[in-house]
Amino acid sequence: MLRVLQVTESSFSGEAVGSMGSAETATTCSLATLWAQKYVDKLRAQAALGELPGAQLADKVKGSLRFASSQAWAKTERLLAAEIPKQRLDPDLIDPWQIAEDSRDLFEAAAESCGEGLSPARFSVQIAPLCGRLRARYSERDPRVLGFLSMQFHYTGQMVLQALSPQERGLFHPYLKVMDDHLYMPLQRMYEGAAAHAGDTFSAPLAAVQELLPLVTSVAESICAEVAQRFPGYRCESGPLTDLEVRISSIRDVEMFQVYLGLCVLEGSVAAVQQELFPLCVMLYPPLKVEWKLVRQMLELLDEALRFQLTPASYTVLLPYLRAVQSMFSLEVFPESDPIWSHHPDVMRFMGTAQNLLQELMGQGAI
């Protein structure tokens, strides 16, 4: 039986924790451990398949990167090129060569860790600071640029897996999932947000997030299964909701919404959703043919799941932020008459509405 990884301070780079005190480091490591536990099941699957991946698999992944990267950018460009003028996105912010290079660097790091026998759980902790820096750099001037990196990485991963045998895919996929999570989700920022609560004798926000994290994947899986049942004939850009690749991406997106929700709780603000998640969804979902009714259904099911699975205290802490997120994707913002909404959003108008609703629900001053 594999033992759950216990993340220690030495697991982090000096840059990630050097400025933290012992309490902050312990809190940050605690959340990182909760997230890393997601990959222990993947380790068990690897053990069932046989030996851990070695240098041969690592070389095969690296050897496929050049072709995979070029094909991935072609798909990313086809998907998102039309969105640049629609979204009023400055094209000078998008550097295809840098995006491809940063994506390749991540795959090479994963291949090396895989070849060295580093577990996906430990790789999750190791790669978090690098992914956090990439997210910060790409979202510094316009968070929507992060969408180009994420899609490039996603399509590169699909191409790389196609070049592997079924057994090799089973061995490498957990490392791919680790990086996918850290690029799509603000995990490093969440760890840093948790560290800000380290000095408190008791932190209700931190306790709520610690209770939420172990449930994220199971909640996402059940929600996606329910949505697929409620929309049996629905097809997005990649296929029906029951398609394996679509299901994997859908589960990741529901996980992403939950992580952003946890980040809002820790920061006491909906700024992360306002500045990153909402604009990214507005840019990516229309070309991916994800209608807003699916997002609203997902958020409704998420509310039900959290109310049922969390303690009343934790649910009460999360609820105002969940309501604010629901308001951003409401019928008022995205009417049913325009399901594939592809016009530039009046972001400030709707963000102000969400902020006012959050203040009203919390019954306190500005956050």
Side-chain angles (χ1 to χ4, degrees):
M1 180 67 69
L2 293 170
R3 299 182 62 185
V4 172
L5 170 67
Q6 298 297 318
V7 183
T8 64
E9 183 174 354
S10 62
S11 301
F12 289 83
S13 68
E15 181 178 351
V17 300
S19 60
M20 296 182 183
S22 58
E24 293 171 317
T25 300
T27 303
T28 301
C29 292
S30 175
L31 281 195
T33 300
L34 286 173
W35 194 259
Q37 286 171 352
K38 284 162 49 67
Y39 306 106
V40 171
D41 287 341
K42 298 295 184 182
L43 285 174
R44 293 193 179 98
Q46 285 180 357
L49 287 169
E51 296 180 359
L52 287 173
Q56 185 176 1
L57 175 55
D59 290 341
K60 193 170 181 179
V61 170
K62 291 180 181 179
S64 68
L65 279 177
R66 183 177 295 276
F67 176 75
S69 183
S70 64
Q71 293 296 303
W73 180 253
K75 291 188 69 172
T76 300
E77 193 171 36
R78 280 198 302 271
L79 181 74
L80 296 178
E83 294 301 309
I84 295 175
K86 287 181 183 178
Q87 303 287 333
R88 302 178 190 174
L89 181 60
D90 183 357
D92 291 338
L93 297 178
I94 301 165
D95 184 346
W97 299 107
Q98 188 63 54
I99 290 171
E101 180 180 344
D102 288 334
S103 177
R104 282 197 305 270
D105 287 346
L106 289 173
F107 275 94
E108 288 178 354
E112 290 170 3
S113 296
C114 180
E116 293 167 0
L118 188 71
S119 73
R122 289 191 176 276
F123 178 62
S124 173
V125 176
Q126 185 182 84
I127 203 67
L130 172 59
C131 290
R133 289 193 298 272
L134 282 175
R135 283 182 55 89
R137 173 155 59 84
Y138 275 90
S139 59
E140 182 178 10
R141 294 182 62 184
D142 190 324
R144 292 172 296 179
V145 179
L146 184 60
F148 286 81
L149 175 64
S150 298
M151 295 309 300
Q152 169 70 12
F153 180 87
H154 174 70
Y155 288 135
T156 301
Q158 287 185 341
M159 302 289 179
V160 168
L161 290 177
Q162 287 176 11
L164 303 178
S165 69
Q167 184 179 25
E168 289 169 335
R169 288 175 206 156
L171 294 170
F172 187 67
H173 187 268
Y175 298 85
L176 184 60
K177 171 63 173 168
V178 165
M179 296 185 294
D180 208 33
D181 285 354
H182 281 85
L183 276 185
Y184 275 85
M185 307 178 202
L187 290 170
Q188 185 65 20
R189 181 172 168 181
M190 185 176 64
Y191 301 156
E192 293 166 358
H197 293 262
D200 300 340
T201 303
F202 173 75
S203 168
L206 180 58
V209 173
Q210 288 174 325
E211 188 178 348
L212 171 67
L213 281 187
L215 304 174
V216 162
T217 298
S218 62
V219 166
E221 289 173 345
S222 64
I223 287 175
C224 290
E226 181 66 23
V227 170
Q229 282 190 340
R230 295 190 184 190
F231 298 90
Y234 191 94
R235 290 184 64 89
C236 61
E237 191 268 342
S238 300
L241 297 178
T242 52
D243 179 82
L244 178 60
E245 288 298 327
V246 173
R247 178 171 167 77
I248 290 172
S249 297
S250 300
I251 290 171
R252 182 206 58 222
D253 279 11
V254 182
E255 290 177 327
M256 175 181 68
F257 269 82
Q258 292 177 80
V259 170
Y260 268 101
L261 180 62
L263 177 59
C264 289
V265 170
L266 291 171
E267 294 185 342
S269 167
V270 291
V273 175
Q274 291 177 332
Q275 297 166 7
E276 289 185 7
L277 181 61
F278 182 79
L280 280 169
C281 289
V282 168
M283 182 180 75
L284 293 175
Y285 281 174
L288 289 171
K289 295 183 173 58
V290 176
E291 296 183 18
W292 303 114
K293 64 182 179 182
L294 266 67
V295 179
R296 284 191 286 270
Q297 182 70 83
M298 178 271 292
L299 290 171
E300 179 183 323
L301 292 170
L302 178 59
D303 188 2
E304 294 176 6
L306 296 183
R307 184 170 64 250
F308 177 74
Q309 297 197 42
L310 295 177
T311 61
S314 292
Y315 176 70
T316 300
V317 171
L318 291 167
L319 184 59
Y321 301 94
L322 178 57
R323 289 285 183 264
V325 175
Q326 287 176 317
S327 75
M328 295 182 199
F329 295 94
S330 66
L331 280 168
E332 178 187 356
V333 180
F334 300 110
E336 288 286 3
S337 58
D338 191 13
I340 300 294
W341 187 78
S342 59
H343 304 289
H344 182 71
D346 186 354
V347 175
M348 295 310 298
R349 173 187 168 196
F350 298 123
M351 293 306 94
T353 300
Q355 193 83 338
N356 291 337
L357 176 63
L358 181 60
Q359 292 176 13
E360 179 182 338
L361 288 168
M362 295 187 72
Q364 60 186 37
I367 57 174

